[in-house]
Amino acid sequence: CPPDAKPYMGKIPGYEGAYINAGHNCWGIAWAPACGLSMAELILEGESQSINLDPFSPSRFTRKVSGRGRKRRGESVGEQW
C-alpha cells in the first residue's frame, strides 16, 4: 500500500504511453468500475473526465529535481558520485 493509503493512478512520469492503476488495498474490487472508467478516459482522451486524478498521481512521492546529478528525460536519476 502507498504511504498515504491512496492508490497510484495516472501516467508514469518519464515513460511515454505507460500508465498505472494500483495500490487500492482491499478496496480494489469496490473501486474497480470507477477506476477503470477514469483510466480508460485518461488513456483514450488524454484526461479523466469522471474523476480528478491529481490526488492519485504516481509522481506524488517523487523527489523534486535539484538541478544536480544525472538526468533521464528531465528526471533526476541520482548523483554522479
Side-chain angles (χ1 to χ4, degrees), residues 7-10 20-22 24 27-43 47-53 56:
Y8 298 107
M9 296 174 65
I20 189 168
N21 184 22
H24 295 78
W27 294 99
I29 299 235
W31 293 347
C35 294
L37 173 63
S38 65
M39 291 301 293
E41 291 171 344
L42 176 64
I43 293 167
E47 64 180 297
S48 173
Q49 300 296 320
S50 57
I51 298 173
N52 176 10
L53 295 179
F56 310 111

Side-chain angles (χ1 to χ4, degrees), residues 2-14 18-24 39 42 51-64 75:
D4 62 359
K6 295 178 188 173
Y8 298 107
M9 296 174 65
K11 295 180 181 181
I12 298 176
Y19 301 84
I20 189 168
N21 184 22
H24 295 78
M39 291 301 293
L42 176 64
I51 298 173
N52 176 10
L53 295 179
D54 291 342
F56 310 111
S57 172
S59 64
R60 68 186 183 269
F61 299 114
T62 304
R63 290 187 217 170
K64 304 299 177 207
E75 302 236 356

